[in-house]
């Protein structure tokens, strides 16, 4: 087995409670083919490590440090960190989640990490935009217990407009994935005027109808925490002025999804 | 909450603690005018107890359901001059200090000036205690290496077992008489005389509390005559009957059981000022038979039980801890008197003990939202998640209670200490986190131990840098490597533990000889059978604890020395000492590196955690199993109350980057703000020490409210607790609050008067905390920012 392959990872977070069932350790992979205008992890866009300046403070004393976002890890190194949390996974039916960026863009590395995790009895989960060659998704699916699958915009043109890419491959992959044995949760970002229009929600519902026995849909209301990150990265942020997504509105949308899945939540 | 309870609660909240000279005057009168010098000491003590209960003024609040106050009215707090005599200057401080003050009126000052001080000066236990300590002990005490729990408070830390709910004072008296007969048949000797005197004292004490209850019955009989409301008349008639019946006889129903306990509680805290006060222990277990029978017979409703429990809660809140001074005030700066209600856990037969009363009491805790009593839930693997989650819903409100304890570990701790399985299963935790066999063990805390001060003295080769005096063992030269440094530390540790233990055994003897507690001895097994006092080793199990403080800080200090002095050789020991003496002035960059680039405890990083394990084991080995005067053994636990603040004040700057005088880490928690790998890493680190070897450890975790937002989230916190407990963690508690709220509370205390936060082993009003403690709580890592 080639364990020498390295993955570019920009964060590893324990006690992660919103990225799949139970208590999880989430590994964030760097690099994404999409450019969603509402993305709250702009530091994950590029497939290269990047530097940003950070003020580290001790009382009033402060040191300006250059922090490297994105380090290369072997699958072994990741699995070693993940295994430490097994007591929490076992207790809570949790496990490892690979998120991003787009984890499937580093499919071989993801495969290695998840394979090793499964061999240690750990539940595996991949949080994906679905934008990846089918052969990559299929390979990863072989070692994945659960996909958190993003559906953003139903209309191909709007999808291209707001994420930079067409959604054809995403929907095709989803339609293939439904015949594999992994579990599936759909995640829908709620961005005012972009993804929450009646047209779009109806379109997404039509896609979801084709997923009989769907376990869960999470509606993820837009939040503003990313604003500072765009400024630090010196990246333009189209949604600079957009406020937090109104919760009442999210609740109403939740109602409209009715029984599209066994469970529908706001916020995951 | 019904209107009656609302009013009683409001009254209790509004009452400002005051100091009452009543008890001090009565005990002065007794010892001055009525003492029979031919009586044995226990009999003298019993008679003084009887005299106080006979003559103290009674308080009957309007619409009360449970009666009895230690002072003349709620929050009027007595003093105990036979232990610790306050000077006029002390009274001024107690009256005017900004935190934990007690109102002292002119009459009280006069009584002290003219009667109490002249009689007790030089005759207190405190004077005896300090007089009996050698220079070595005094130097270490003055240096802040340890504190002494018994210098202002009597030995306590005992909890009611279920027996007291099944036994009346008359039953105790007949047991005493049986034992007396048995002893009288033996050849008379000094020993049999002492035993008979002790039994006589116990009998007098039992009679005293019966008479005290009768006085309440009589006072209620006066009250009923002027009562016009027929409903209240019925209530009063019932209360009169109850006060005639208990504690003379065993209680027969729910209301009697609560009033019965309350009279006994008042007896314990009037006889002396034990630390902790006293505690009904496993309340849901002890009351359940009364609850069940009442519901089945139709004589009790769930609502009535709730109301009675609420009235009971108010009684605890009416009784602040007696005023503390000096080091004692610093190590435990709070009104809380550490009565910790236990819920859940296991029954004697090892099955799940959670019942519907456990849930009802959780409702009461949530509704009452009072500082006292404290509350905790015992969680065994056999207890249902529903119970954990119900408790978490209360924790979620930011009130800091209840805290969470691992029953399966508590039982293992007790078994490993040689307790029987039954006694272990009937045990729990009291005070902050202290493990005990309820009703059968005297497990006194003897004082906090400043692990980091010992390290500081080691770094200075035996010198206390605060005053330049040789305080520890002299060390000729600086260590060549970390191993040598650690060996030096271990030697100093053993040296100071030896001093502390030697002192403790003298102090235990002083209490056994001068201040027996015949009343408390009635209710703790096996003091009657042994015809020996609680303070003299009469209990079935006797344990004396030394409480280690600052595990997180010392771990980070050792980790920093290893990395920067011995591995990276960034600076020599001489240079390190110089930087520390200058409190990092001009070395801000170095300090920054020490804080940010050193492996820290609480991140599941063996580079740091190995030092925690070393220190823990050294501390354990130096203390555990050594004999006590009372015939028990010394053991360790790891908790600070507020002593990590006091100990921090006594230590200069340290290698982990902590500035001179700043608080140390508390309990076994990481240094404030240094746990950066999330809450799972914290408990993975904390699990590396063997909690089974202790009598309790304290772990504080601060969570933002988001982690408690819905049932799914609560389940994850529940799973987190369970995983920690599967790793043999002893305890965990949560501060659910955001830093913004706390900062605002500092700026606008008036807007946050109800803000209760978890401090160290108890909850306190944020406004009542000193500023440094407030800052520290704000600093504690707030997990889950995003």
């Amino acid at each position: 087995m080639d364990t020498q392959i390295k993955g570019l990872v920009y964060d590893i977070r324990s006690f992660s409670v919103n990225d799949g069932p139970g208590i999880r350790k989430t590994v964030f992979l760097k690099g994404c083919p999409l450019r969603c205008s509402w993305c709250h992890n702009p530091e994950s866009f590029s497939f290269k490590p990047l530097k940003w300046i950070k003020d580290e403070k001790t009382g009033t004393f402060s040191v300006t440090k250059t922090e490297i976002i994105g380090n290369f890890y072997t699958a072994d190194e990741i699995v070693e960190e993940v295994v430490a949390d097994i007591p929490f996974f076992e207790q809570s039916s949790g496990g490892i989640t690979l998120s991003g960026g787009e984890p499937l863009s580093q499919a071989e590395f993801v495969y290695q990490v998840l394979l090793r995790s499964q061999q240690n009895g750990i539940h595996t989960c991949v949080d994906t935009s679905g934008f990846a060659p089918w052969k990559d998704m299929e390979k990863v699916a072989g070692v994945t217990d659960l996909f958190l699958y993003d559906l953003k915009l139903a209309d191909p043109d709007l999808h291209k407009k707001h994420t930079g890419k067409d959604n054809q491959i995403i929907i095709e992959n989803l339609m293939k994935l439904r015949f594999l044995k992994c579990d599936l949760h759909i995640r829908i970002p709620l961005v005012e005027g972009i993804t929450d229009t009646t047209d779009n929600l109806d379109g997404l519902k039509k896609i979801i109808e084709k997923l009989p026995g769907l376990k869960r849909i999470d509606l993820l209301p837009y939040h503003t925490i990313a604003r500072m990150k765009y400024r630090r990265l010196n990246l333009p942020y189209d949604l600079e002025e957009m406020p937090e997504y109104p919760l009442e509105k999210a609740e109403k949308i939740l109602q409209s999804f009715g029984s599209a899945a066994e469970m529908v939540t706001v916020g995951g | 909450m019904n209107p009656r309870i609302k009013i009683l609660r409001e009254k209790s909240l509004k009452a400002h603690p005051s100091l009452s000279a009543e008890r001090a005057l009565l005990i002065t009168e007794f010892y001055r005018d009525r003492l029979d010098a031919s009586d044995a000491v226990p009999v003298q003590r019993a008679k003084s107890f009887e005299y106080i209960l006979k003559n103290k003024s009674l308080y009957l609040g309007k619409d009360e359901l449970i009666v009895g106050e230690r002072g003349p009215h709620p929050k009027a707090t007595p003093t105990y001059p036979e232990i610790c005599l306050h000077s006029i200057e002390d009274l001024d401080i107690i009256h005017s200090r900004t935190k934990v003050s007690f109102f002292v009126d002119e009459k009280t000052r006069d009584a002290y000036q003219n009667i109490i001080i002249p009689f007790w000066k030089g005759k207190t236990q405190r004077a005896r205690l300090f007089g009996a300590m050698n220079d070595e002990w005094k130097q270490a005490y003055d240096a802040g290496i340890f504190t002494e729990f018994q210098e202002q408070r009597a030995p306590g830390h005992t909890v009611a077992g279920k027996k007291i709910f099944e036994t009346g004072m008359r039953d105790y008296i007949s047991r005493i008489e049986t034992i007396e007969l048995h002893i009288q048949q033996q050849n008379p000797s000094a020993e049999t005389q002492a035993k008979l005197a002790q039994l006589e004292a116990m009998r007098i004490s039992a009679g005293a509390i019966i008479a005290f209850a009768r006085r309440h019955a009589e006072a209620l009989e006066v009250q009923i005559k002027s009562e016009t409301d027929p409903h209240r008349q019925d209530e009063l008639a019932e209360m009169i009957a109850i006060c005639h019946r208990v504690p003379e006889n065993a209680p027969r129903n729910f209301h009697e059981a609560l009033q019965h306990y309350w009279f006994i509680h008042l007896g314990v805290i009037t006889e002396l000022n034990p630390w902790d006060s006293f505690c009904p222990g496993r309340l849901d277990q002890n009351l359940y038979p009364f609850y069940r029978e009442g519901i089945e017979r139709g004589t009790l409703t769930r609502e009535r039980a709730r109301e009675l429990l609420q009235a009971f809660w108010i009684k605890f809140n009416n009784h602040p801890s007696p005023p503390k001074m000096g080091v004692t005030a610093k190590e435990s700066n709070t009104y809380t008197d550490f009565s910790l209600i236990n819920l859940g856990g296991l029954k004697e037969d090892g099955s799940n003990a959670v019942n519907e009363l456990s849930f009802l009491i959780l409702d009461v805790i949530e509704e009452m939202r009072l500082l006292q009593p404290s509350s905790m839930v015992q969680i065994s693997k056999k207890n249902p998640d529903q119970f954990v989650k119900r408790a978490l819903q209360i924790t979620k409100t930011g009130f800091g209670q209840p805290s969470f304890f691992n029953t399966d570990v508590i039982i293992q701790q007790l078994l490993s200490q040689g307790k029987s399985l039954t006694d272990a299963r009937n045990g729990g935790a009291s005070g902050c986190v202290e493990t005990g066999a309820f009703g059968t063990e005297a497990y006194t805390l003897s004082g906090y131990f400043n692990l980091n001060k010992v390290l500081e003295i080691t770094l200075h080769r035996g010198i206390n840098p605060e005053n330049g005096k040789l305080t520890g063992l002299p060390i000729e030269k600086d260590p060549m490597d970390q191993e040598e440094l650690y060996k030096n530390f271990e030697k100093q540790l053993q040296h100071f533990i030896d001093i502390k233990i030697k002192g403790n055994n003298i102090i235990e003897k002083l209490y056994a000889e001068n201040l027996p507690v015949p009343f408390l001895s009635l209710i703790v097994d096996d003091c009657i059978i042994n015809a020996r006092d609680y303070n003299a080793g009469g209990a079935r199990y006797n344990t004396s604890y030394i409480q280690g403080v600052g595990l997180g800080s010392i771990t980070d200090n050792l980790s920093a020395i290893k990395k920067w002095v011995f591995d990276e050789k960034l600076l020599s020991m001489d240079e390190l000492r110089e930087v520390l003496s200058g409190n990092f002035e001009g070395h801000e960059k170095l300090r920054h590196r020490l804080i940010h680039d050193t492996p820290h405890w609480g991140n599941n990083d063996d580079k740091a955690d190995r030092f925690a394990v070393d220190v823990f084991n050294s501390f354990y080995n130096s203390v555990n199993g050594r004999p006590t005067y009372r015939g028990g053994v010394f053991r360790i636990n790891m908790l600070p109350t507020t002593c990590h603040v006091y100990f921090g004040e006594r230590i200069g700057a340290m290698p982990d980057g902590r500035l001179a005088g700043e608080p140390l880490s508390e309990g076994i928690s990481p240094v404030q703000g240094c746990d950066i790998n999330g809450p799972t890493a914290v408990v993975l680190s904390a699990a590396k020490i063997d909690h089974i070897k202790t009598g309790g450890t304290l772990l504080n975790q601060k969570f933002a409210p988001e982690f408690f937002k819905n049932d799914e989230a609560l389940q994850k916190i529940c799973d987190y607790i369970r995983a920690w407990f599967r790793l043999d963690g002893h305890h965990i508690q949560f501060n659910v609050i955001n830093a913004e709220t706390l900062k605002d509370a500092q700026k606008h205390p008036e807007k946050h008067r109800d803000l209760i936060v978890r401090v160290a082993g108890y909850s306190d009003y944020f406004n009542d905390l000193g500023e440094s403690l407030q800052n520290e709580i704000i600093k504690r890592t707030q997990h889950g920012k995003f």
Side-chain angles (χ1 to χ4, degrees):
Chain A
M1 190 202 304
D2 179 16
T3 51
Q4 290 311 304
I5 184 167
K6 290 192 172 185
L8 185 59
V9 170
Y10 72 95
D11 201 3
I12 301 173
R13 184 150 296 177
S14 32
F15 203 71
S16 169
V17 292
N18 293 315
D19 299 314
I23 298 169
R24 312 195 71 84
K25 195 158 232 175
T26 302
V27 180
F28 293 88
L29 282 87
K30 191 156 153 44
C32 186
L34 304 188
R35 289 291 179 273
C36 306
S37 57
W38 55 83
C39 182
H40 59 254
N41 290 330
E43 72 274 32
S44 75
F45 287 166
S46 93
F47 285 92
K48 287 182 200 150
L50 64 88
K51 291 173 183 174
W52 71 16
I53 302 291
K54 190 175 99 177
D55 278 339
E56 209 176 64
K57 280 186 184 165
T58 301
T60 52
F61 180 80
S62 143
V63 172
T64 305
K65 276 197 176 167
T66 309
E67 197 180 14
I68 295 172
I69 306 294
N71 287 293
F72 289 98
Y73 289 83
T74 63
D76 279 357
E77 287 168 334
I78 297 291
V79 172
E80 194 188 334
E81 284 217 24
V82 172
V83 162
D85 278 5
I86 284 180
F88 305 96
F89 302 156
E90 287 202 337
Q91 188 64 50
S92 65
S93 302
I96 180 175
T97 297
L98 293 188
S99 183
E102 173 48 62
L104 295 180
S105 297
Q106 303 185 53
E108 183 55 34
F109 173 72
V110 165
Y111 175 78
Q112 295 288 348
V113 169
L114 297 185
L115 176 69
R116 296 277 323 279
S117 297
Q118 279 196 337
Q119 286 168 347
N120 280 286
I122 297 170
H123 178 269
T124 58
C125 172
V126 173
D127 180 9
T128 180
S129 68
F131 192 88
W134 170 246
K135 67 168 178 54
D136 287 346
M137 185 174 283
E138 192 180 24
K139 180 167 188 183
V140 167
V143 289
T144 300
D145 295 311
L146 167 68
F147 276 98
L148 307 179
Y149 205 104
D150 279 14
L151 283 182
K152 300 173 173 101
L153 288 151
D155 179 87
D157 293 334
L158 285 174
H159 200 281
K160 185 151 192 183
K161 181 180 168 201
H162 290 288
T163 75
K165 290 284 194 291
D166 193 297
N167 64 2
Q168 189 191 343
I169 185 171
I170 295 172
I171 293 169
E172 281 174 11
N173 281 344
L174 181 62
M175 292 305 124
K176 290 179 193 160
L177 194 61
R178 66 187 165 154
F179 297 117
L180 301 186
K181 64 173 173 47
C182 8
D183 285 329
L184 190 64
H185 294 174
I186 295 296
R187 316 192 111 191
I188 301 172
L190 294 180
V191 188
E192 265 189 307
I194 301 178
T195 66
D196 73 340
T197 61
T198 315
D199 278 357
N200 187 46
L201 292 172
D202 287 347
L204 295 179
K205 283 172 197 163
K206 279 204 186 100
I207 299 170
I208 290 168
E209 274 169 20
K210 295 176 188 153
L211 305 169
L214 180 64
K215 291 259 164 56
R216 177 165 177 156
I217 300 171
D218 294 320
L219 304 171
L220 308 178
Y222 171 80
H223 55 72
T224 56
I225 54 159
R227 212 177 276 163
M228 280 308 292
K229 292 198 214 171
Y230 281 89
R231 281 181 209 160
R232 281 170 75 184
L233 291 163
N234 229 342
L235 286 173
Y237 188 32
D238 295 346
L239 273 49
E240 184 79 35
E241 304 298 324
M242 185 165 292
E244 295 271 321
Y245 196 85
L247 269 185
E248 323 77 68
K249 223 165 157 180
E251 293 292 337
K252 264 189 202 149
I253 295 173
L254 180 138
Q255 299 304 323
S256 80
F257 271 85
S259 54
E262 281 174 30
M263 186 177 181
V264 187
T265 78
V266 169
Chain B
M1 203 180 306
N2 67 31
R4 173 224 303 263
I5 295 296
K6 216 174 197 163
I7 291 166
L8 289 172
R9 178 180 179 274
E10 201 55 33
K11 246 192 211 167
S12 180
L13 281 174
K14 273 193 188 146
H16 184 74
S18 61
L19 199 141
S20 160
E22 184 180 57
R23 183 189 178 282
L25 282 170
L26 288 171
I27 198 144
T28 308
E29 271 169 37
F30 177 83
Y31 275 92
R32 192 187 55 201
D33 308 333
R34 289 164 196 271
L35 186 73
D36 181 344
S38 68
D39 281 340
V41 172
V43 175
Q44 293 176 357
R45 289 297 308 166
K47 285 183 176 170
S48 70
F49 176 67
E50 187 180 38
Y51 185 76
I52 294 168
L53 290 186
K54 206 171 159 185
N55 292 290
K56 80 174 281 298
S57 50
L58 300 186
Y59 171 85
L60 297 175
K62 188 175 177 323
D63 283 338
E64 278 192 320
L65 288 167
I66 310 283
V67 292
E69 289 283 329
R70 174 181 55 182
H73 52 86
K75 292 197 183 165
T77 310
T79 54
Y80 304 76
E82 67 268 47
I83 292 187
C84 159
L85 178 64
H86 297 104
S87 65
I88 294 297
E89 193 194 3
D90 289 341
L91 296 181
D92 288 344
I93 293 170
I94 289 168
H95 175 78
S96 59
R97 63 190 176 195
T98 51
K99 304 289 171 187
V100 197
S101 66
F102 291 78
F103 183 77
V104 184
D105 63 15
E106 274 309 308
K107 238 175 103 186
T108 303
R109 285 170 59 98
D110 289 348
Y112 258 83
Q113 180 99 55
N114 302 321
I115 301 167
I116 300 163
I117 294 175
F119 183 78
W120 290 102
K121 200 156 188 198
K123 285 191 265 182
T124 66
Q125 179 74 349
R126 192 161 193 258
R128 272 184 219 118
L129 187 154
F130 283 115
M133 294 299 108
N134 63 19
D135 288 344
E136 235 180 6
W137 188 96
K138 281 182 194 151
Q139 195 183 16
Y141 177 82
D142 288 340
I145 290 163
F146 49 72
T147 65
E148 177 44 60
F149 256 40
Q150 265 78 70
E151 56 112 358
Q152 291 175 37
R153 303 282 301 261
H157 281 91
T158 196
V159 177
K162 69 174 176 180
K163 182 192 75 177
I164 80 162
F165 290 87
E166 297 165 347
T167 316
M169 289 294 145
R170 218 147 23 138
D171 303 317
Y172 294 123
I173 291 172
S174 62
R175 278 174 215 177
I176 288 168
E177 282 164 356
T178 309
I179 303 293
E180 272 175 343
L181 275 178
H182 181 73
I183 294 172
Q184 278 157 358
Q185 284 160 7
Q186 298 167 8
N187 288 330
S189 66
E191 196 192 335
T192 56
Q193 263 183 5
K195 283 184 171 178
L196 290 171
Q198 177 67 31
L199 292 171
E200 170 68 9
M202 290 185 193
R203 190 188 8 236
I204 294 168
S205 305
I209 203 79
I210 296 171
F212 183 58
R214 287 227 181 94
R215 283 186 67 207
H216 283 83
E218 284 153 16
L220 288 165
E221 276 158 8
V222 175
Q223 212 177 52
I224 201 171
K225 283 182 192 143
S226 55
E227 180 60 56
T228 50
D229 176 4
H231 175 69
R232 180 63 183 164
Q233 278 174 348
D234 289 348
E235 269 183 1
L236 286 170
E238 197 188 345
M239 288 159 67
I240 291 164
I242 290 171
C243 292
H244 275 301
R245 179 155 183 96
V246 297
E248 181 175 1
N249 304 286
R252 295 167 304 181
N253 60 45
F254 199 77
H255 194 164
E256 284 184 4
L258 290 171
Q259 184 66 64
H260 175 76
Y261 172 79
W262 188 247
F263 279 132
I264 291 172
H265 185 99
L266 289 178
V268 173
I269 63 174
T270 300
E271 182 177 44
L272 275 184
N273 60 356
W275 191 1
D276 305 326
S277 53
F278 194 52
C279 176
R282 308 272 300 272
L283 194 61
D284 57 344
Q285 306 308 302
N286 296 338
L287 290 178
Y288 190 64
F290 303 107
Y291 175 81
R292 198 61 256 154
E293 203 196 347
I295 298 282
E296 269 164 19
R297 285 192 177 184
T299 51
L300 180 72
T301 62
R302 201 165 159 85
E303 278 322 296
R304 181 63 172 175
R306 182 193 302 271
E307 187 182 31
L308 287 166
L309 284 164
Q310 289 172 332
F312 188 60
W313 245 243
I314 289 162
K315 279 290 160 190
F316 282 92
N317 200 58
N318 283 350
H319 289 75
S321 155
K324 301 161 192 163
M325 289 296 299
V327 171
T328 297
K330 288 188 168 196
E331 70 187 328
S332 182
N333 193 17
T334 175
Y335 289 125
T336 294
D337 215 7
F338 298 101
S339 199
L340 180 65
I341 304 289
N342 281 229
L343 301 175
L346 295 181
K347 293 189 211 166
E348 223 172 84
D349 65 4
S351 61
N352 167 32
V354 171
N355 57 45
E356 62 267 36
L357 189 56
S358 321
F359 284 95
L360 180 64
I361 296 175
L362 284 174
D363 288 351
V364 169
I365 292 165
E366 184 173 44
E367 266 192 287
M368 295 310 282
R369 221 181 153 79
L370 290 170
L371 198 59
Q372 297 200 77
S374 299
S375 57
M376 66 89 119
V377 287
Q378 286 195 29
I379 308 296
S380 150
K381 56 183 182 281
K382 292 181 187 170
N383 295 134
D385 277 3
Q386 280 314 322
F387 179 60
V388 184
K389 286 196 273 182
R390 177 67 190 98
L392 280 169
Q393 281 169 350
I394 302 170
T395 307
K396 172 184 160 182
T397 62
F399 164 55
Q401 292 187 33
S403 49
F404 297 80
F405 285 79
N406 188 349
T407 305
D408 306 314
V409 158
I410 286 175
I411 290 172
Q412 286 185 72
Q413 289 165 344
L414 290 167
L415 288 175
S416 81
Q417 299 172 356
K419 274 107 178 164
S420 75
L421 186 58
T422 303
D423 288 341
R425 283 181 177 153
N426 283 328
S430 62
C432 289
V433 297
E434 299 89 300
T435 298
F438 292 175
T440 53
E441 184 178 15
Y443 51 113
T444 55
L445 268 57
S446 75
Y448 295 108
F449 190 85
N450 195 344
L451 295 164
N452 288 277
K453 185 76 193 175
V454 176
L455 180 64
E456 188 187 39
I457 287 172
T458 308
L459 294 180
H460 289 82
R461 305 202 327 220
I463 307 286
N464 175 13
E466 200 180 39
N467 56 16
K469 279 190 193 156
L470 180 69
T471 303
L473 301 168
I475 300 170
E476 275 187 26
K477 57 177 182 45
D478 277 328
M480 299 299 292
D481 53 28
Q482 184 84 3
E483 284 65 40
E484 193 183 341
L485 171 90
Y486 192 75
K487 270 190 196 133
N488 290 343
F489 165 75
E490 265 190 322
K491 276 184 215 152
Q492 301 285 2
L493 176 71
Q494 189 68 57
H495 171 69
F496 288 117
I497 289 290
D498 288 348
I499 294 173
K500 173 73 177 148
I501 283 182
K502 205 169 149 192
N504 283 351
N505 281 331
I506 295 169
I507 293 164
E508 287 189 5
K509 184 166 184 271
L510 288 176
Y511 270 95
E513 287 173 354
N514 297 298
L515 287 167
V517 277
F519 181 72
L520 179 58
S521 303
L522 281 170
I523 53 184
V524 179
D525 287 335
D526 302 309
C527 295
I528 294 179
I529 295 171
N530 294 333
R532 193 192 288 181
D533 195 80
Y534 176 90
N535 280 350
R540 186 174 305 163
Y541 309 109
N542 292 280
T543 312
S544 301
Y545 279 102
I546 298 177
Q547 308 101 258
V549 174
L551 186 68
S553 293
I554 193 165
T555 302
D556 290 3
N557 281 318
L558 288 168
S559 168
I561 296 168
K562 162 97 169 116
K563 175 163 180 175
W564 302 109
V565 177
F566 294 118
D567 290 351
E568 309 262 329
K569 301 193 177 5
L570 184 73
L571 69 179
S572 67
M573 288 297 289
D574 266 335
E575 287 163 337
L576 176 67
R577 275 190 295 264
E578 200 182 310
V579 168
L580 297 180
S581 323
N583 202 21
F584 290 105
E585 222 157 286
H587 297 278
E588 285 76 15
K589 198 170 169 189
L590 171 68
R591 175 168 178 251
H592 186 84
R593 268 183 104 173
L594 294 175
I595 293 173
H596 290 272
D597 301 331
T598 301
H600 291 283
W601 169 245
N603 296 288
N604 191 27
D605 180 351
D606 274 331
K607 287 197 285 297
D609 297 353
R610 48 175 283 211
F611 296 116
V613 175
D614 285 348
V615 171
F616 175 83
N617 287 333
S618 301
F619 181 49
Y620 172 81
N621 290 330
S622 66
V623 173
N624 192 68
R626 298 179 66 181
T628 69
Y629 175 81
R630 290 183 294 137
V633 292
F634 283 98
R635 299 188 191 284
I636 62 161
N637 46 26
M638 308 294 281
L639 67 120
T641 316
T642 59
C643 201
H644 58 301
V645 177
Y646 164 64
F647 279 170
E649 284 171 14
R650 304 305 305 276
I651 303 178
M654 286 295 268
D656 67 344
R658 181 190 140 283
L659 294 175
E662 284 190 345
L664 300 164
S665 64
E666 44 77 23
I668 58 164
S669 311
V671 169
Q672 297 77 0
C674 287
D675 47 329
I676 52 173
N677 282 351
T680 56
V682 171
V683 303
L684 289 171
S685 281
K688 290 175 189 172
I689 60 169
D690 188 351
H691 298 253
I692 311 284
K693 287 179 170 171
T694 73
T697 58
L698 183 145
L699 179 65
N700 217 322
Q701 284 277 275
K702 191 166 156 188
F703 277 93
E706 294 88 88
F707 282 99
F708 294 73
K709 66 183 174 189
N710 55 28
D711 190 65
E712 202 185 345
L714 285 183
Q715 183 64 49
K716 290 179 185 184
I717 299 281
C718 168
D719 288 335
Y720 172 71
I721 296 170
R722 292 228 189 242
W724 164 227
F725 285 179
R726 276 172 69 178
L727 296 168
D728 283 348
H730 172 83
H731 154 274
I732 191 166
Q733 64 194 19
F734 301 98
N735 257 328
V736 183
I737 212 92
N738 63 47
E740 291 319 304
T741 313
L742 297 177
K743 283 180 202 157
D744 194 58
Q746 272 189 318
K747 272 188 228 152
H748 308 287
E750 74 284 1
K751 288 185 196 157
H752 297 275
R753 291 195 312 189
D754 62 337
L755 188 59
I756 294 178
V757 291
R758 197 85 192 164
V759 179
Y762 64 97
S763 296
D764 216 334
Y765 288 107
F766 188 73
N767 286 350
D768 280 337
L769 305 174
E771 204 195 345
S772 58
L773 201 54
Q774 287 183 341
N775 286 335
E776 185 215 315
I777 287 180
I778 292 172
K779 230 165 80 182
R780 276 182 198 161
T781 309
Q782 194 171 4
H783 292 297
K785 286 164 289 202
F786 278 104

